PDB file of all heavy atoms in Angstrom:
ATOM      1  N   ALA A   1     -16.313 -18.947  -5.356  1.00  0.00           N
ATOM      2  CA  ALA A   1     -16.800 -18.164  -6.554  1.00  0.00           C
ATOM      3  C   ALA A   1     -16.826 -19.193  -7.731  1.00  0.00           C
ATOM      4  O   ALA A   1     -17.764 -19.216  -8.488  1.00  0.00           O
ATOM      5  CB  ALA A   1     -16.143 -16.876  -6.729  1.00  0.00           C
ATOM      6  N   LEU A   2     -15.643 -19.838  -7.929  1.00  0.00           N
ATOM      7  CA  LEU A   2     -15.475 -20.667  -9.085  1.00  0.00           C
ATOM      8  C   LEU A   2     -16.468 -21.919  -8.923  1.00  0.00           C
ATOM      9  O   LEU A   2     -17.117 -22.208 -10.047  1.00  0.00           O
ATOM     10  CB  LEU A   2     -14.094 -21.207  -9.129  1.00  0.00           C
ATOM     11  CG  LEU A   2     -13.627 -22.012 -10.381  1.00  0.00           C
ATOM     12  CD1 LEU A   2     -13.869 -21.211 -11.588  1.00  0.00           C
ATOM     13  CD2 LEU A   2     -12.155 -22.425 -10.271  1.00  0.00           C
ATOM     14  N   GLU A   3     -16.793 -22.328  -7.766  1.00  0.00           N
ATOM     15  CA  GLU A   3     -17.616 -23.462  -7.694  1.00  0.00           C
ATOM     16  C   GLU A   3     -19.017 -23.099  -8.018  1.00  0.00           C
ATOM     17  O   GLU A   3     -19.744 -23.968  -8.559  1.00  0.00           O
ATOM     18  CB  GLU A   3     -17.438 -24.088  -6.251  1.00  0.00           C
ATOM     19  CG  GLU A   3     -18.339 -25.332  -5.961  1.00  0.00           C
ATOM     20  CD  GLU A   3     -18.129 -25.877  -4.633  1.00  0.00           C
ATOM     21  OE1 GLU A   3     -17.470 -25.334  -3.797  1.00  0.00           O
ATOM     22  OE2 GLU A   3     -18.744 -26.880  -4.206  1.00  0.00           O
ATOM     23  N   ARG A   4     -19.456 -21.952  -7.683  1.00  0.00           N
ATOM     24  CA  ARG A   4     -20.741 -21.432  -7.989  1.00  0.00           C
ATOM     25  C   ARG A   4     -20.918 -20.829  -9.338  1.00  0.00           C
ATOM     26  O   ARG A   4     -22.015 -20.386  -9.623  1.00  0.00           O
ATOM     27  CB  ARG A   4     -21.319 -20.461  -6.945  1.00  0.00           C
ATOM     28  CG  ARG A   4     -20.564 -19.189  -6.813  1.00  0.00           C
ATOM     29  CD  ARG A   4     -21.314 -18.319  -5.704  1.00  0.00           C
ATOM     30  NE  ARG A   4     -20.570 -16.980  -5.701  1.00  0.00           N
ATOM     31  CZ  ARG A   4     -19.634 -16.651  -4.877  1.00  0.00           C
ATOM     32  NH1 ARG A   4     -19.286 -17.603  -3.958  1.00  0.00           N
ATOM     33  NH2 ARG A   4     -19.139 -15.418  -4.856  1.00  0.00           N
ATOM     34  N   GLY A   5     -19.861 -20.766 -10.087  1.00  0.00           N
ATOM     35  CA  GLY A   5     -19.895 -20.359 -11.461  1.00  0.00           C
ATOM     36  C   GLY A   5     -19.790 -18.829 -11.656  1.00  0.00           C
ATOM     37  O   GLY A   5     -20.050 -18.406 -12.671  1.00  0.00           O
ATOM     38  N   ASP A   6     -19.392 -18.132 -10.554  1.00  0.00           N
ATOM     39  CA  ASP A   6     -19.279 -16.649 -10.727  1.00  0.00           C
ATOM     40  C   ASP A   6     -17.756 -16.517 -11.122  1.00  0.00           C
ATOM     41  O   ASP A   6     -16.793 -16.129 -10.386  1.00  0.00           O
ATOM     42  CB  ASP A   6     -19.464 -16.050  -9.249  1.00  0.00           C
ATOM     43  CG  ASP A   6     -19.452 -14.569  -9.308  1.00  0.00           C
ATOM     44  OD1 ASP A   6     -19.048 -13.990 -10.384  1.00  0.00           O
ATOM     45  OD2 ASP A   6     -19.693 -13.963  -8.202  1.00  0.00           O
ATOM     46  N   LEU A   7     -17.576 -16.595 -12.415  1.00  0.00           N
ATOM     47  CA  LEU A   7     -16.180 -16.524 -12.999  1.00  0.00           C
ATOM     48  C   LEU A   7     -15.579 -15.099 -12.853  1.00  0.00           C
ATOM     49  O   LEU A   7     -14.283 -14.991 -12.676  1.00  0.00           O
ATOM     50  CB  LEU A   7     -16.172 -17.038 -14.383  1.00  0.00           C
ATOM     51  CG  LEU A   7     -16.681 -18.520 -14.617  1.00  0.00           C
ATOM     52  CD1 LEU A   7     -16.565 -18.824 -16.118  1.00  0.00           C
ATOM     53  CD2 LEU A   7     -15.988 -19.441 -13.734  1.00  0.00           C
ATOM     54  N   ASP A   8     -16.282 -14.052 -12.894  1.00  0.00           N
ATOM     55  CA  ASP A   8     -15.807 -12.773 -12.774  1.00  0.00           C
ATOM     56  C   ASP A   8     -15.118 -12.572 -11.308  1.00  0.00           C
ATOM     57  O   ASP A   8     -14.056 -12.093 -11.243  1.00  0.00           O
ATOM     58  CB  ASP A   8     -16.839 -11.718 -13.033  1.00  0.00           C
ATOM     59  CG  ASP A   8     -17.081 -11.646 -14.501  1.00  0.00           C
ATOM     60  OD1 ASP A   8     -16.282 -12.116 -15.359  1.00  0.00           O
ATOM     61  OD2 ASP A   8     -18.207 -11.158 -14.877  1.00  0.00           O
ATOM     62  N   SER A   9     -15.901 -12.993 -10.366  1.00  0.00           N
ATOM     63  CA  SER A   9     -15.516 -12.760  -9.038  1.00  0.00           C
ATOM     64  C   SER A   9     -14.172 -13.772  -8.777  1.00  0.00           C
ATOM     65  O   SER A   9     -13.320 -13.401  -8.113  1.00  0.00           O
ATOM     66  CB  SER A   9     -16.516 -13.138  -7.957  1.00  0.00           C
ATOM     67  OG  SER A   9     -17.558 -12.235  -8.045  1.00  0.00           O
ATOM     68  N   ALA A  10     -14.341 -15.017  -9.238  1.00  0.00           N
ATOM     69  CA  ALA A  10     -13.225 -15.941  -9.147  1.00  0.00           C
ATOM     70  C   ALA A  10     -11.897 -15.416  -9.804  1.00  0.00           C
ATOM     71  O   ALA A  10     -10.859 -15.511  -9.208  1.00  0.00           O
ATOM     72  CB  ALA A  10     -13.686 -17.305  -9.769  1.00  0.00           C
ATOM     73  N   SER A  11     -12.084 -14.747 -10.861  1.00  0.00           N
ATOM     74  CA  SER A  11     -10.953 -14.235 -11.644  1.00  0.00           C
ATOM     75  C   SER A  11     -10.278 -13.082 -10.851  1.00  0.00           C
ATOM     76  O   SER A  11      -9.031 -13.092 -10.681  1.00  0.00           O
ATOM     77  CB  SER A  11     -11.376 -13.677 -12.902  1.00  0.00           C
ATOM     78  OG  SER A  11     -10.219 -13.191 -13.664  1.00  0.00           O
ATOM     79  N   MET A  12     -11.123 -12.144 -10.285  1.00  0.00           N
ATOM     80  CA  MET A  12     -10.667 -11.023  -9.469  1.00  0.00           C
ATOM     81  C   MET A  12     -10.045 -11.468  -8.238  1.00  0.00           C
ATOM     82  O   MET A  12      -9.026 -11.080  -7.797  1.00  0.00           O
ATOM     83  CB  MET A  12     -11.830 -10.077  -9.145  1.00  0.00           C
ATOM     84  CG  MET A  12     -11.420  -8.939  -8.337  1.00  0.00           C
ATOM     85  SD  MET A  12     -12.902  -7.955  -7.848  1.00  0.00           S
ATOM     86  CE  MET A  12     -13.761  -9.039  -6.690  1.00  0.00           C
ATOM     87  N   LEU A  13     -10.633 -12.462  -7.493  1.00  0.00           N
ATOM     88  CA  LEU A  13     -10.101 -12.946  -6.124  1.00  0.00           C
ATOM     89  C   LEU A  13      -8.820 -13.782  -6.393  1.00  0.00           C
ATOM     90  O   LEU A  13      -7.918 -13.618  -5.617  1.00  0.00           O
ATOM     91  CB  LEU A  13     -11.169 -13.682  -5.415  1.00  0.00           C
ATOM     92  CG  LEU A  13     -12.444 -12.892  -4.920  1.00  0.00           C
ATOM     93  CD1 LEU A  13     -13.572 -13.771  -4.546  1.00  0.00           C
ATOM     94  CD2 LEU A  13     -11.964 -12.090  -3.774  1.00  0.00           C
ATOM     95  N   SER A  14      -8.897 -14.602  -7.433  1.00  0.00           N
ATOM     96  CA  SER A  14      -7.620 -15.446  -7.632  1.00  0.00           C
ATOM     97  C   SER A  14      -6.437 -14.502  -7.967  1.00  0.00           C
ATOM     98  O   SER A  14      -5.285 -14.783  -7.512  1.00  0.00           O
ATOM     99  CB  SER A  14      -7.914 -16.507  -8.729  1.00  0.00           C
ATOM    100  OG  SER A  14      -8.169 -15.880  -9.920  1.00  0.00           O
ATOM    101  N   ALA A  15      -6.671 -13.567  -8.816  1.00  0.00           N
ATOM    102  CA  ALA A  15      -5.631 -12.605  -9.121  1.00  0.00           C
ATOM    103  C   ALA A  15      -5.088 -11.834  -7.897  1.00  0.00           C
ATOM    104  O   ALA A  15      -3.895 -11.666  -7.755  1.00  0.00           O
ATOM    105  CB  ALA A  15      -6.169 -11.540 -10.163  1.00  0.00           C
ATOM    106  N   ALA A  16      -6.030 -11.522  -7.021  1.00  0.00           N
ATOM    107  CA  ALA A  16      -5.640 -10.768  -5.683  1.00  0.00           C
ATOM    108  C   ALA A  16      -4.848 -11.645  -4.890  1.00  0.00           C
ATOM    109  O   ALA A  16      -3.833 -11.348  -4.212  1.00  0.00           O
ATOM    110  CB  ALA A  16      -6.816 -10.299  -5.002  1.00  0.00           C
ATOM    111  N   ALA A  17      -5.200 -13.070  -4.835  1.00  0.00           N
ATOM    112  CA  ALA A  17      -4.454 -14.046  -4.036  1.00  0.00           C
ATOM    113  C   ALA A  17      -3.097 -14.156  -4.532  1.00  0.00           C
ATOM    114  O   ALA A  17      -2.125 -14.255  -3.650  1.00  0.00           O
ATOM    115  CB  ALA A  17      -5.159 -15.387  -4.208  1.00  0.00           C
ATOM    116  N   LEU A  18      -2.914 -14.082  -5.922  1.00  0.00           N
ATOM    117  CA  LEU A  18      -1.533 -14.223  -6.531  1.00  0.00           C
ATOM    118  C   LEU A  18      -0.780 -13.058  -6.192  1.00  0.00           C
ATOM    119  O   LEU A  18       0.454 -13.088  -5.927  1.00  0.00           O
ATOM    120  CB  LEU A  18      -1.650 -14.496  -8.041  1.00  0.00           C
ATOM    121  CG  LEU A  18      -0.311 -14.764  -8.703  1.00  0.00           C
ATOM    122  CD1 LEU A  18       0.279 -16.007  -8.163  1.00  0.00           C
ATOM    123  CD2 LEU A  18      -0.631 -14.918 -10.220  1.00  0.00           C
ATOM    124  N   ARG A  19      -1.355 -11.821  -6.178  1.00  0.00           N
ATOM    125  CA  ARG A  19      -0.669 -10.661  -5.885  1.00  0.00           C
ATOM    126  C   ARG A  19      -0.205 -10.652  -4.523  1.00  0.00           C
ATOM    127  O   ARG A  19       0.912 -10.125  -4.054  1.00  0.00           O
ATOM    128  CB  ARG A  19      -1.487  -9.383  -6.100  1.00  0.00           C
ATOM    129  CG  ARG A  19      -1.713  -9.077  -7.525  1.00  0.00           C
ATOM    130  CD  ARG A  19      -2.225  -7.687  -7.735  1.00  0.00           C
ATOM    131  NE  ARG A  19      -3.590  -7.446  -7.095  1.00  0.00           N
ATOM    132  CZ  ARG A  19      -4.775  -7.664  -7.678  1.00  0.00           C
ATOM    133  NH1 ARG A  19      -4.743  -8.130  -8.889  1.00  0.00           N
ATOM    134  NH2 ARG A  19      -5.876  -7.519  -7.025  1.00  0.00           N
ATOM    135  N   ALA A  20      -1.025 -11.191  -3.501  1.00  0.00           N
ATOM    136  CA  ALA A  20      -0.655 -11.333  -2.027  1.00  0.00           C
ATOM    137  C   ALA A  20       0.546 -12.171  -1.946  1.00  0.00           C
ATOM    138  O   ALA A  20       1.252 -12.017  -0.929  1.00  0.00           O
ATOM    139  CB  ALA A  20      -1.817 -11.696  -1.261  1.00  0.00           C
ATOM    140  N   ALA A  21       0.711 -13.245  -2.718  1.00  0.00           N
ATOM    141  CA  ALA A  21       1.679 -14.187  -2.551  1.00  0.00           C
ATOM    142  C   ALA A  21       2.165 -14.773  -3.861  1.00  0.00           C
ATOM    143  O   ALA A  21       1.672 -15.804  -4.308  1.00  0.00           O
ATOM    144  CB  ALA A  21       1.175 -15.417  -1.608  1.00  0.00           C
ATOM    145  N   PRO A  22       3.009 -14.096  -4.617  1.00  0.00           N
ATOM    146  CA  PRO A  22       3.332 -14.387  -5.950  1.00  0.00           C
ATOM    147  C   PRO A  22       4.083 -15.763  -6.099  1.00  0.00           C
ATOM    148  O   PRO A  22       4.100 -16.303  -7.228  1.00  0.00           O
ATOM    149  CB  PRO A  22       4.406 -13.235  -6.335  1.00  0.00           C
ATOM    150  CG  PRO A  22       3.903 -12.050  -5.507  1.00  0.00           C
ATOM    151  CD  PRO A  22       3.575 -12.718  -4.162  1.00  0.00           C
ATOM    152  N   ALA A  23       4.679 -16.236  -4.984  1.00  0.00           N
ATOM    153  CA  ALA A  23       5.309 -17.534  -5.052  1.00  0.00           C
ATOM    154  C   ALA A  23       4.496 -18.672  -4.595  1.00  0.00           C
ATOM    155  O   ALA A  23       4.963 -19.728  -4.372  1.00  0.00           O
ATOM    156  CB  ALA A  23       6.678 -17.417  -4.191  1.00  0.00           C
ATOM    157  N   ASP A  24       3.152 -18.442  -4.454  1.00  0.00           N
ATOM    158  CA  ASP A  24       2.274 -19.454  -3.929  1.00  0.00           C
ATOM    159  C   ASP A  24       1.698 -20.257  -5.268  1.00  0.00           C
ATOM    160  O   ASP A  24       0.942 -19.753  -5.887  1.00  0.00           O
ATOM    161  CB  ASP A  24       1.079 -18.811  -3.168  1.00  0.00           C
ATOM    162  CG  ASP A  24       0.111 -19.838  -2.639  1.00  0.00           C
ATOM    163  OD1 ASP A  24       0.376 -21.015  -2.799  1.00  0.00           O
ATOM    164  OD2 ASP A  24      -0.873 -19.447  -1.975  1.00  0.00           O
ATOM    165  N   PRO A  25       2.158 -21.540  -5.306  1.00  0.00           N
ATOM    166  CA  PRO A  25       1.691 -22.262  -6.464  1.00  0.00           C
ATOM    167  C   PRO A  25       0.189 -22.441  -6.536  1.00  0.00           C
ATOM    168  O   PRO A  25      -0.441 -22.637  -7.607  1.00  0.00           O
ATOM    169  CB  PRO A  25       2.439 -23.531  -6.457  1.00  0.00           C
ATOM    170  CG  PRO A  25       2.910 -23.674  -5.027  1.00  0.00           C
ATOM    171  CD  PRO A  25       3.162 -22.300  -4.616  1.00  0.00           C
ATOM    172  N   ALA A  26      -0.398 -22.539  -5.268  1.00  0.00           N
ATOM    173  CA  ALA A  26      -1.851 -22.810  -5.291  1.00  0.00           C
ATOM    174  C   ALA A  26      -2.636 -21.684  -5.815  1.00  0.00           C
ATOM    175  O   ALA A  26      -3.638 -21.740  -6.443  1.00  0.00           O
ATOM    176  CB  ALA A  26      -2.210 -23.125  -3.755  1.00  0.00           C
ATOM    177  N   ALA A  27      -2.149 -20.390  -5.532  1.00  0.00           N
ATOM    178  CA  ALA A  27      -2.905 -19.186  -5.944  1.00  0.00           C
ATOM    179  C   ALA A  27      -2.600 -19.171  -7.499  1.00  0.00           C
ATOM    180  O   ALA A  27      -3.638 -18.740  -8.237  1.00  0.00           O
ATOM    181  CB  ALA A  27      -2.087 -18.004  -5.436  1.00  0.00           C
ATOM    182  N   LEU A  28      -1.466 -19.545  -7.987  1.00  0.00           N
ATOM    183  CA  LEU A  28      -1.293 -19.480  -9.394  1.00  0.00           C
ATOM    184  C   LEU A  28      -2.124 -20.476 -10.150  1.00  0.00           C
ATOM    185  O   LEU A  28      -2.737 -20.299 -11.237  1.00  0.00           O
ATOM    186  CB  LEU A  28       0.161 -19.801  -9.877  1.00  0.00           C
ATOM    187  CG  LEU A  28       0.542 -19.653 -11.274  1.00  0.00           C
ATOM    188  CD1 LEU A  28       0.168 -18.344 -11.920  1.00  0.00           C
ATOM    189  CD2 LEU A  28       2.104 -19.816 -11.500  1.00  0.00           C
ATOM    190  N   SER A  29      -2.337 -21.647  -9.582  1.00  0.00           N
ATOM    191  CA  SER A  29      -3.106 -22.728 -10.236  1.00  0.00           C
ATOM    192  C   SER A  29      -4.572 -22.321 -10.090  1.00  0.00           C
ATOM    193  O   SER A  29      -5.436 -22.721 -10.965  1.00  0.00           O
ATOM    194  CB  SER A  29      -2.912 -24.036  -9.435  1.00  0.00           C
ATOM    195  OG  SER A  29      -3.541 -24.018  -8.224  1.00  0.00           O
ATOM    196  N   LEU A  30      -5.089 -21.551  -9.138  1.00  0.00           N
ATOM    197  CA  LEU A  30      -6.397 -21.110  -9.139  1.00  0.00           C
ATOM    198  C   LEU A  30      -6.695 -20.113 -10.228  1.00  0.00           C
ATOM    199  O   LEU A  30      -7.708 -20.027 -10.886  1.00  0.00           O
ATOM    200  CB  LEU A  30      -6.723 -20.526  -7.749  1.00  0.00           C
ATOM    201  CG  LEU A  30      -8.185 -20.209  -7.413  1.00  0.00           C
ATOM    202  CD1 LEU A  30      -8.996 -21.351  -7.697  1.00  0.00           C
ATOM    203  CD2 LEU A  30      -8.281 -19.754  -5.963  1.00  0.00           C
ATOM    204  N   VAL A  31      -5.656 -19.169 -10.462  1.00  0.00           N
ATOM    205  CA  VAL A  31      -5.724 -18.192 -11.635  1.00  0.00           C
ATOM    206  C   VAL A  31      -5.832 -19.029 -12.851  1.00  0.00           C
ATOM    207  O   VAL A  31      -6.737 -18.739 -13.772  1.00  0.00           O
ATOM    208  CB  VAL A  31      -4.544 -17.301 -11.653  1.00  0.00           C
ATOM    209  CG1 VAL A  31      -4.372 -16.619 -12.950  1.00  0.00           C
ATOM    210  CG2 VAL A  31      -4.508 -16.399 -10.477  1.00  0.00           C
ATOM    211  N   ALA A  32      -5.072 -20.130 -13.133  1.00  0.00           N
ATOM    212  CA  ALA A  32      -5.052 -20.896 -14.221  1.00  0.00           C
ATOM    213  C   ALA A  32      -6.403 -21.641 -14.426  1.00  0.00           C
ATOM    214  O   ALA A  32      -6.877 -21.736 -15.538  1.00  0.00           O
ATOM    215  CB  ALA A  32      -3.845 -21.846 -14.216  1.00  0.00           C
TER     216      ALA A  32
END
């Protein structure tokens, strides 16, 4: 989603990824 410029979807999905694995640094960097 981020690559195609759909920032709203990217924001929602990256936040969900971080909720699924709060200790995953890759999920946090995607949120960032």
Side-chain angles (χ1 to χ4, degrees):
L2 186 57
E3 186 176 0
R4 66 176 180 266
D6 184 354
L7 300 184
D8 288 338
S9 293
S11 183
M12 178 185 68
L13 289 164
S14 60
L18 187 60
R19 286 195 300 272
D24 182 1
L28 183 56
S29 72
L30 192 51
V31 168

